[in-house]
Amino acid sequence: MANKSRTQESAEMYLETILRLSNDHPDVHSIEIAAEMGFSKPSVSVAIKNLKEQGLVTVDKYSHISLTSEGRAIAETIFERHELLTGFFEWLGVSHETAENDACRIEHVISDESFQALKACLSRHKK
């Protein structure tokens, strides 16, 4: 079971990275993902193959990697969690680097119920 959640976390990290890179430029390649994540190109190739088999990404004849609508939905959810959690920790006085690192770990395990409650609380507090 722990291995399955670890696999899910890894997939979410790849999807979020692809989303971030595609926001900067439309043509995302494995080498850019590898550089961004600090992984080897062969490791990224295996991960992309798995994501493609799951229907979360497509790879065209030029090796451009794109998110499918399902992959984009997952990536946007993780990205929203990352941004909100990072901002929340920084608001608490945590350094940016620590806030980013903690958010990156928590974004994959926090329940939707807890995230929505935190989001609503922060929204009320900002008013």
Side-chain angles (χ1 to χ4, degrees):
M1 183 95 144
N3 193 22
K4 183 179 178 186
S5 66
R6 192 77 179 136
T7 302
Q8 179 182 345
E9 180 180 333
S10 176
E12 289 172 351
M13 288 173 52
Y14 276 99
L15 295 172
E16 182 184 10
T17 299
I18 295 166
L19 176 67
R20 288 178 186 212
L21 290 170
S22 68
N23 286 339
D24 293 337
H25 53 87
D27 299 331
V28 177
H29 296 92
S30 291
I31 194 73
E32 296 154 339
I33 297 168
E36 180 73 18
M37 297 181 77
F39 295 156
S40 70
K41 190 172 180 312
S43 294
V44 172
S45 294
V46 169
I48 295 303
K49 178 181 176 273
N50 291 335
L51 293 172
K52 186 177 175 184
E53 289 172 358
Q54 295 172 42
L56 300 174
V57 301
T58 59
V59 182
D60 71 14
K61 65 182 179 180
Y62 303 106
S63 299
H64 299 148
I65 300 165
S66 301
L67 297 168
T68 63
S69 57
E70 184 181 356
R72 179 168 294 281
I74 294 167
E76 287 175 348
T77 297
I78 296 303
F79 184 71
E80 178 188 24
R81 289 177 177 197
H82 182 89
E83 293 293 298
L84 186 126
L85 289 165
T86 299
F88 174 64
F89 294 137
E90 288 177 333
W91 177 74
L92 291 174
V94 175
S95 72
H96 177 73
E97 183 178 353
T98 300
E100 282 271 331
N101 290 335
D102 288 347
C104 195
R105 287 193 301 274
I106 295 168
E107 68 196 20
H108 302 286
V109 296
I110 190 170
S111 70
D112 191 53
E113 179 182 359
S114 294
F115 179 74
Q116 293 303 324
L118 178 60
K119 187 175 169 181
C121 178
L122 291 173
S123 179
R124 284 190 307 270
H125 188 275
K126 287 183 178 181
K127 290 182 181 178

